[in-house]
Amino acid sequence: MATKKASKKSSKKSPSKKSTRSTSKKSRSASKKTSAKKSTARKSTSKKANKKSSSRKYGPSVGKNVEREMREMKRGKLKSGRSGKKVTSRKQAIAIGLSEARKAGKKVPPRKKS
């Protein structure tokens, strides 16, 4: 009940509080505007990352090679080149599919060198 009394008292003094509230709202909106300006500045610096290439990176037939290698891996028939061990990693199966597509001369970007 004490809160109700306090709210009644504050409602009587509302003209003086309204002026302080309106100024605080203005300062809040001003801070929002400045944060919006900062985010636009960040976006303009990362234009290179958003640049899209005009053509496909991988040819449509490359997906079939990768798909075939994934099936072999799931069945347990996919083996690595030199050692002949079974491939259990999904990433390794994709890498094998892409390298076979490169050897066949299909449209695949060059291998990343580390």
Side-chain angles (χ1 to χ4, degrees), residues 43-88:
K43 288 179 183 177
S44 63
T45 58
S46 62
K47 282 186 179 180
K48 289 181 182 178
N50 294 335
K51 190 176 181 181
K52 293 181 181 179
S53 60
S54 60
S55 62
R56 294 174 63 146
K57 280 187 176 181
Y58 298 92
S61 60
V62 175
K64 292 177 184 176
N65 280 34
V66 173
E67 190 177 333
R68 184 181 69 238
E69 299 302 324
M70 287 295 289
R71 275 201 198 105
E72 284 185 30
M73 188 220 23
K74 286 179 182 178
R75 291 176 185 158
K77 295 182 180 180
L78 183 62
K79 302 198 177 188
S80 65
R82 284 189 183 164
S83 63
K85 291 182 179 178
K86 281 186 184 179
V87 173
T88 56

Side-chain angles (χ1 to χ4, degrees), residues 32-49:
K32 286 182 183 178
K33 287 179 185 177
T34 56
S35 63
K37 287 180 185 178
K38 288 180 184 177
S39 63
T40 55
R42 288 181 197 155
K43 288 179 183 177
S44 63
T45 58
S46 62
K47 282 186 179 180
K48 289 181 182 178

Side-chain angles (χ1 to χ4, degrees), residues 17 28 57 82 89 92 95 111:
K17 284 194 176 184
R28 285 182 197 163
K57 280 187 176 181
R82 284 189 183 164
S89 170
Q92 197 173 0
R111 197 176 119 215

